[in-house]
Amino acid sequence: MTAQLIDGNALAKTIRTEVAGRTAALKARGVNPALSIILVGEDPASQVYTKHKVNDSTQTGLEATLETYPADMTEADLLARIRALNDDPKVHGILVQLPLPKHMDSQKVIETISPTKDVDGFHVASAGALMTGAPGFWPCTPHGCMKMLEAIGYDLRGKHAVVIGRSNIVGKPMAMMLLAKSATVTICHSATQDLGAITRQADVVVAAVGKLNLLTADMVKPGAVVIDVGMNRKADGKLAGDVDFDGVKEVAGWITPVPGGVGPMTRAMLLVNTLEAAERAAK
Ligand code: NAD
């Protein structure tokens, strides 16, 4: 069996086109959807990510501002800047790029962002909204994975979904989203015994660990949907996920590639959240 590919690049492109259309409609009503991104320090990966976020935004018609601060910025100054952005009606989304310098308390910083502008979906209020089904912002990566399942018309009701990884930004919210669609959900993590015995029962597997070849063909039920969130560097420097793609694609029914899978969807969902923040503010 050769799995069908879920093309994250193509789906993200469709989503960006939709965002551009809705952004133009909002602008016609005099509202300019705007995202403020804060980068503290000079982490090279964060510099690349924030540049992408600005470019993605401007290409879809959203306004995006990148504010960069030195690594020795005080936490008090950062919190004051966030509060000013919270109070600015022209700013709809606020994103503080993580990781922050060690002298800052990341959770405290995130909790300072107004939940109405928390487009990363990392605020405890956003997590609570996801848990209870209240309106709020969903973290971009798991939200992008859900869009992929939606795009292939997959009905999760009664299916067994296994999420590998329990981080607050991927694994846990992913599990909540799958549960909300009436899947039976199992969360696996570093202390899980015999991972393969569990994943072999899964109709859907989401791998979000950060370990090359964590999920191999013998761990996958024939026909399962396999979503690979992982991002790892191979010895040759190339990007790869957590899934042994070449092996698993012979067993799975659907599979996402790395690169070109969850990554572009994560980027697209930030645009969706920013636009929705502006649409909600304009109501
Ligand atoms: P994390 O380090 O916070 O969490 C990793 C999780 O994996 C932990 O819950 C841990 O218990 C679990 N784990 C570790 N070893 C395991 C094992 N042998 N078996 C089962 N579980 C194990 O990581 P994160 O921030 O959730 O990110 C996970 C991966 O997803 C990373 O590779 C990261 O780069 C990637 N990621 C990709 C995107 C994207 O847009 N594509 C976005 C976010 C994260």
Side-chain angles (χ1 to χ4, degrees):
M1 173 173 202
T2 303
Q4 295 189 63
L5 201 68
I6 310 179
D7 184 341
N9 281 326
L11 186 55
K13 194 173 168 198
T14 306
I15 291 172
R16 286 198 305 270
T17 305
E18 282 169 22
V19 169
R22 278 163 61 191
T23 300
L26 209 53
K27 282 180 160 175
R29 290 171 48 201
V31 180
N32 281 332
L35 171 65
S36 279
I37 302 168
I38 294 180
L39 172 61
V40 185
E42 287 170 5
D43 176 63
S46 294
Q47 286 174 332
V48 172
Y49 294 147
T50 50
K51 207 169 108 190
H52 283 159
K53 287 168 187 176
V54 171
N55 290 344
D56 290 350
S57 302
T58 50
Q59 278 165 18
T60 42
L62 302 165
E63 254 175 46
T65 315
L66 174 61
E67 298 181 13
T68 56
Y69 296 102
D72 61 358
M73 179 189 208
T74 66
E75 187 183 270
D77 283 349
L78 177 58
L79 299 186
R81 183 60 196 138
I82 293 170
R83 289 192 187 103
L85 292 169
N86 283 344
D87 292 340
D88 184 346
K90 290 199 212 69
V91 173
H92 303 102
I94 302 170
L95 185 152
V96 178
Q97 184 66 41
L98 301 177
L100 284 167
K102 288 196 170 36
H103 66 279
M104 292 188 179
D105 176 347
S106 299
Q107 201 52 41
K108 188 173 167 192
V109 170
I110 298 301
E111 301 309 329
T112 305
I113 299 171
S114 164
T116 60
K117 301 188 179 187
D118 175 38
V119 287
D120 247 346
F122 295 165
H123 196 291
V124 70
S126 301
L130 171 59
M131 173 83 88
T132 57
F137 294 107
W138 287 6
C140 299
T141 299
H143 197 181
C145 296
M146 292 304 288
K147 286 281 172 197
M148 290 174 128
L149 290 167
E150 200 182 297
I152 62 167
Y154 196 82
D155 183 4
L156 283 159
R157 193 175 178 79
K159 297 288 183 357
H160 185 189
V162 172
V163 179
I164 317 172
R166 59 169 167 187
S167 74
N168 290 340
I169 62 166
V170 189
K172 285 185 206 163
M174 183 80 240
M176 291 312 305
M177 290 174 200
L178 292 162
L179 191 60
K181 292 286 178 191
S182 298
T184 300
V185 183
T186 303
I187 309 179
C188 300
H189 44 77
S190 51
T192 297
Q193 305 283 309
D194 199 352
L195 184 63
I198 297 167
T199 57
R200 269 190 292 277
Q201 299 172 31
D203 301 301
V204 176
V205 183
V206 180
V209 171
K211 191 163 178 246
L212 270 174
N213 298 327
L214 175 84
L215 193 78
T216 48
D218 58 307
M219 298 166 76
V220 175
K221 176 160 112 177
V225 182
V226 176
I227 298 186
D228 192 353
V229 178
M231 284 200 305
N232 309 290
R233 288 280 162 204
K234 290 194 289 191
D236 62 6
K238 289 196 178 133
L239 192 65
D242 290 346
V243 175
D244 169 23
F245 184 86
D246 290 337
V248 171
K249 78 173 180 358
E250 300 303 326
V251 182
W254 294 89
I255 190 166
T256 68
V258 178
V262 175
M265 290 301 293
T266 297
R267 287 168 62 174
M269 296 321 291
L270 175 65
L271 307 176
V272 171
N273 278 356
T274 303
L275 171 66
E276 283 185 4
E279 285 177 343
R280 288 178 203 175
K283 265 187 193 154

